[in-house]
Amino acid sequence: MDEREVFVIGAGMTPFGRHEGRGVEEIGAEAARAALVDAGIDASGVEIAFCGHVLQGITAGQRALSRTGIAGAPVVNVENACASGSTAFHQAVAAVRGGAAQIALALGLEKMERGPIPVDPSDVRMTPRRGAPLMPGMFAEIFRAHSRRYGTTIEQLAMVSVKNRDHAAENPRAQYRERITIEDVLRSRVVADPLTLLMCCPTGSGAAAAVVASADVARGRRRPITVAASVLRSDPPGDASDPLQMIVGINTDAIRRAYAQAGIGPDDLDVIELHDCFAIAEIMHYENLGLCPRGEGGKFVEAGLSRIGGDVAVSTSGGLLSKGHPLGATGVAQVVEIVEQLRGESGARQVTNARTALTHCQGFGGAAAVHVFTA
Amino acid sequence: MDEREVFVIGAGMTPFGRHEGRGVEEIGAEAARAALVDAGIDASGVEIAFCGHVLQGITAGQRALSRTGIAGAPVVNVENACASGSTAFHQAVAAVRGGAAQIALALGLEKMERGPIPVDPSDVRMTPRRGAPLMPGMFAEIFRAHSRRYGTTIEQLAMVSVKNRDHAAENPRAQYRERITIEDVLRSRVVADPLTLLMCCPTGSGAAAAVVASADVARGRRRPITVAASVLRSDPPGDASDPLQMIVGINTDAIRRAYAQAGIGPDDLDVIELHDCFAIAEIMHYENLGLCPRGEGGKFVEAGLSRIGGDVAVSTSGGLLSKGHPLGATGVAQVVEIVEQLRGESGARQVTNARTALTHCQGFGGAAAVHVFTA
């Protein structure tokens, strides 16, 4: 165990779903307690906590964490759009790596209403068309551009949704678990032509937490998971007139740095949780990650290579598409899934011999976070 | 210059005020550019940026900083109520101290409407009385308790407001600069009985930024200022039935740690920027800081000991009461004032031989941040 390494020693989350009648504080505290119990750490041992959320108002982290017995230790609320949870985790890793704390907690939480995510149109760089909601409209444009350039089909989008639902069927904490067919996906309601409802992630509520610790603390504990890379990037200069560039530039920048930091490449990955906010995003992230050549993401899913049992298991939790996407919770929930996979505790969706894994989140506006983990 | 030390090498801010017709992105970019120019650093040299704000929506930091040429480097938006700017600065210091970056930027920004701060009544632990706005009502209760226990008078509150306005009169960036008398303060409109308008900080808009750097970067630059302590704390367990405890517990905890980290005590301080959101808060923070015994804060201001030229110059910028309080900007603006004082660049409000200084912010809900600086 390298003295300078950083570990995840505990992880926990609530189910994702509606959580009707529960406050975000209660949901957040449930996740934090689960992570602390999993780590075998008392709340008083947490030296700093980071809370990722988007829409929960002033000092949401303190409101949740004061219920767990964390008192006195600093709490920092962080926001980076859909990468808010990943940013909280990145900051917790940085706090331990930098020596500011031996034990840090990353919490992600969100309570959302039904309906489209309330995004300020002035915040993003693309104008939606055809009267579609903003984000689905943007991803419909992205799909069209990818299809024109590479021949990606609407059926291939549906295959992403079917695969992730198959994975979610084995995840008791996923928001949607009923298996679906390609026909189900294609025939579901059109949200932003040609994207249908089942090609878009749902809104929902939930929370997730991870306990990050130094080598001194991790030593001798049950299955500490090594954080081999922790990278956060914002948008590098790109050609904003190219809709594909919005999904390529910032992510390839972060992925390249994470591979270098961990000393690995795409062939080393056993499990991946990525930002499949829309099915086309998952296909493009296969390409961004170098799992297949540029433009062949559609064929990659079609060949079944990203299923559990394929070349690399992608979105084993069900992903944003089926596990759900409570904005601030997502990035930390990805860590929870990876920790369980690398410990061999994922039950019916366990990836055989999972040793190296990666999480990826993109927050439009913009932030991309990539983490690499090893067992 | 100690290799492990962290420095402020540049600082800048907008005037505080109404900024009618300007977006928060424009205001934030102006402050960031001013700090970068002051540091002699190109935007491309910033390795990570933290943006503190409360009410500015999703990825406000990215929206502001993308205008300055900062691209690719991670941007993290942080929120900790009125201590959001201080939290951004604390995180920038931690990033450099921990070795994650050689150069980090802390930005604080806020664009506010006129009228009371929109606080969710469920977020705070005191019920307002007498139909007063929430925060003024709370501080009216706090004043009553302090007055009952220690004999603090309404005239002593007015003396705080007069002193800070006298300081603001010499600060071209302060929101209110016209000198006032004790009678003016006492006769201004009652906001929350017995607190009058001039005993309460105004709302406003503005931004401030600071460039934080390692010893390697700071060496040989113009007047780098040493960050001798950087402490962030949340509420330790206290007796919530005691209104005074809300202003004492979290702050004395943070102050005690900051003094220990810097190896100083209250007698060493030449200049202080503290969280004078209401005049009674400034009086209680004299006591929290150990500038005078508990209960004697009113007498401390009455004796003129906290004026420029007194024992220790408090709120030389005019403080929140007169410089203004655009929530997220405040904590970083305090750093700007201190940097200029320690460089000897404060003009008519310069504190003679200023060598050691402190900033203090409290965000209800809760966070307290204390920083110590040396020339």
Side-chain angles (χ1 to χ4, degrees):
Chain A
M1 201 173 263
D2 186 326
E3 286 307 316
R4 294 158 307 175
E5 281 184 326
V6 174
F7 301 85
V8 182
I9 61 166
M13 61 182 284
T14 68
F16 280 3
R18 291 294 160 196
H19 291 283
E20 304 285 2
R22 302 183 75 199
V24 74
E25 296 83 358
E26 187 183 343
I27 300 169
E30 179 186 330
R33 279 190 212 104
L36 290 167
V37 167
D38 185 56
I41 293 279
D42 187 75
S44 63
V46 173
E47 292 164 83
I48 188 165
F50 296 88
C51 175
H53 73 88
V54 181
L55 304 167
Q56 306 309 307
I58 299 173
T59 60
Q62 282 89 334
R63 284 184 274 133
L65 291 171
S66 63
R67 297 178 171 221
T68 67
I70 292 177
V75 177
V76 179
N77 296 280
V78 302
E79 181 272 319
N80 255 340
C82 294
S84 295
S86 303
T87 299
F89 183 74
H90 174 79
Q91 289 301 108
V93 170
V96 173
R97 184 165 286 160
Q102 295 276 315
I103 301 177
L105 181 83
L107 173 64
L109 50 81
E110 208 79 46
K111 187 90 197 285
M112 297 175 78
E113 302 301 319
R114 289 172 193 272
I117 300 172
V119 177
D120 179 347
S122 70
D123 283 4
V124 298
R125 293 155 301 167
M126 278 190 72
T127 309
R129 301 185 197 168
R130 299 165 200 254
L134 189 74
M135 296 300 283
M138 190 171 94
F139 276 89
E141 292 297 317
I142 289 165
F143 166 67
R144 278 198 198 87
H146 202 266
S147 183
R148 268 196 307 274
R149 197 172 304 176
Y150 303 115
T152 305
T153 67
I154 194 84
E155 288 77 16
Q156 288 168 337
L157 297 191
M159 289 169 194
V160 171
S161 299
V162 169
K163 169 188 73 76
N164 289 359
R165 185 61 66 85
D166 283 347
H167 292 173
E170 305 296 349
N171 181 1
R173 292 173 306 209
Q175 187 165 347
Y176 294 101
R177 301 184 60 198
E178 196 181 334
R179 287 180 201 271
I180 50 178
T181 65
I182 289 174
E183 289 66 37
D184 291 334
V185 179
L186 295 175
R187 287 177 195 158
S188 63
R189 175 165 67 79
V190 172
V191 172
D193 184 39
L195 305 188
T196 67
L197 187 70
L198 293 174
M199 298 169 189
C200 310
C201 72
T203 61
S205 300
V211 180
V212 178
S214 65
D216 271 356
V217 172
R219 193 169 290 116
R221 284 181 192 270
R222 186 172 71 93
R223 308 288 313 262
I225 302 300
T226 305
V227 182
S230 178
V231 172
L232 178 67
R233 299 293 291 170
S234 61
D235 280 315
D239 177 4
S241 69
D242 177 0
L244 297 183
Q245 188 54 30
M246 294 184 64
I247 314 298
V248 172
I250 186 172
N251 295 305
T252 51
D253 177 36
I255 290 163
R256 181 178 57 78
R257 289 166 188 267
Y259 283 162
Q261 205 176 100
I264 65 154
D267 292 346
D268 298 307
L269 293 169
D270 302 309
V271 194
I272 296 169
E273 290 281 301
L274 54 69
H275 202 75
D276 59 322
C277 49
F278 295 86
I280 181 61
E282 174 155 330
I283 284 175
M284 290 186 67
H285 294 321
Y286 297 156
E287 304 169 8
N288 292 334
L289 286 159
L291 305 179
C292 63
R294 180 66 58 197
E296 298 190 9
K299 293 175 192 157
F300 193 77
V301 68
E302 187 162 4
L305 299 175
S306 53
R307 280 192 168 270
I308 295 172
D311 269 11
V312 53
V314 178
S315 305
T316 58
S317 68
L320 283 61
L321 285 168
S322 280
K323 181 185 55 183
H325 182 32
L327 311 178
T330 287
V332 188
Q334 292 181 328
V335 175
V336 175
E337 177 70 12
I338 291 302
V339 164
E340 293 179 357
Q341 286 283 358
L342 293 180
R343 283 179 182 165
E345 296 176 349
S346 292
R349 68 185 190 286
Q350 179 64 48
V351 175
T352 311
N353 279 329
R355 304 291 302 163
T356 305
L358 178 146
T359 59
H360 158 265
C361 249
Q362 180 174 12
F364 285 90
V370 178
H371 288 86
V372 176
F373 302 85
T374 54
Chain B
M1 200 174 265
D2 186 325
E3 285 307 315
R4 295 158 306 177
E5 279 183 327
V6 175
F7 301 85
V8 182
I9 62 167
M13 63 182 283
T14 69
F16 281 4
R18 291 292 160 198
H19 291 283
E20 303 286 2
R22 303 183 75 199
V24 74
E25 297 83 358
E26 187 184 341
I27 300 170
E30 178 185 331
R33 280 191 212 103
L36 290 167
V37 166
D38 185 56
I41 293 279
D42 188 75
S44 63
V46 174
E47 292 165 81
I48 188 165
F50 296 89
C51 175
H53 72 89
V54 181
L55 304 167
Q56 307 307 309
I58 300 174
T59 60
Q62 283 89 334
R63 284 184 274 133
L65 291 171
S66 63
R67 298 178 170 221
T68 66
I70 292 176
V75 177
V76 178
N77 297 281
V78 304
E79 181 272 319
N80 256 342
C82 294
S84 295
S86 303
T87 299
F89 183 75
H90 174 79
Q91 289 301 108
V93 170
V96 173
R97 184 165 285 159
Q102 296 277 316
I103 300 177
L105 181 83
L107 174 64
L109 50 81
E110 208 78 46
K111 186 91 198 285
M112 297 176 77
E113 302 301 320
R114 291 173 191 272
I117 299 171
V119 177
D120 179 348
S122 70
D123 283 3
V124 297
R125 293 155 300 166
M126 277 190 75
T127 308
R129 302 184 196 170
R130 301 166 198 253
L134 190 72
M135 297 299 285
M138 191 171 94
F139 276 89
E141 292 297 317
I142 289 165
F143 166 68
R144 278 198 198 87
H146 202 265
S147 182
R148 269 196 307 272
R149 199 173 303 176
Y150 303 114
T152 305
T153 67
I154 194 82
E155 287 76 17
Q156 288 167 338
L157 297 191
M159 289 170 196
V160 171
S161 300
V162 169
K163 167 189 74 74
N164 289 358
R165 185 62 65 86
D166 283 345
H167 293 173
E170 305 295 349
N171 182 1
R173 294 173 305 210
Q175 186 165 349
Y176 294 102
R177 300 184 60 197
E178 196 180 334
R179 288 181 200 269
I180 50 178
T181 65
I182 290 175
E183 289 65 37
D184 292 333
V185 179
L186 294 175
R187 287 177 194 157
S188 62
R189 175 166 68 80
V190 171
V191 172
D193 184 39
L195 305 189
T196 66
L197 187 69
L198 293 175
M199 298 169 189
C200 310
C201 72
T203 61
S205 300
V211 180
V212 178
S214 65
D216 270 356
V217 172
R219 193 169 291 115
R221 284 180 191 271
R222 187 173 70 95
R223 307 288 314 263
I225 301 300
T226 304
V227 182
S230 177
V231 172
L232 178 68
R233 300 292 290 169
S234 61
D235 280 315
D239 177 4
S241 69
D242 177 359
L244 297 182
Q245 188 54 30
M246 294 184 63
I247 313 299
V248 173
I250 187 172
N251 295 305
T252 51
D253 178 35
I255 290 162
R256 181 178 56 78
R257 289 166 188 266
Y259 284 162
Q261 207 177 97
I264 65 154
D267 292 346
D268 297 306
L269 293 169
D270 302 308
V271 193
I272 296 169
E273 289 282 301
L274 53 70
H275 202 75
D276 58 324
C277 49
F278 295 86
I280 181 61
E282 175 156 330
I283 284 176
M284 288 186 68
H285 295 320
Y286 298 156
E287 304 169 8
N288 292 334
L289 285 160
L291 305 180
C292 63
R294 179 68 57 197
E296 298 190 11
K299 292 175 194 159
F300 193 76
V301 68
E302 188 163 4
L305 299 175
S306 53
R307 281 192 167 270
I308 296 173
D311 268 11
V312 53
V314 178
S315 305
T316 59
S317 67
L320 282 61
L321 285 168
S322 281
K323 181 185 54 182
H325 182 30
L327 311 178
T330 287
V332 189
Q334 292 182 328
V335 175
V336 176
E337 176 71 11
I338 291 302
V339 164
E340 293 178 356
Q341 286 283 358
L342 293 181
R343 284 180 181 165
E345 296 175 349
S346 291
R349 67 185 190 286
Q350 180 65 47
V351 175
T352 311
N353 279 328
R355 304 292 302 164
T356 305
L358 179 146
T359 61
H360 158 266
C361 249
Q362 180 174 11
F364 284 90
V370 177
H371 288 87
V372 176
F373 302 84
T374 54

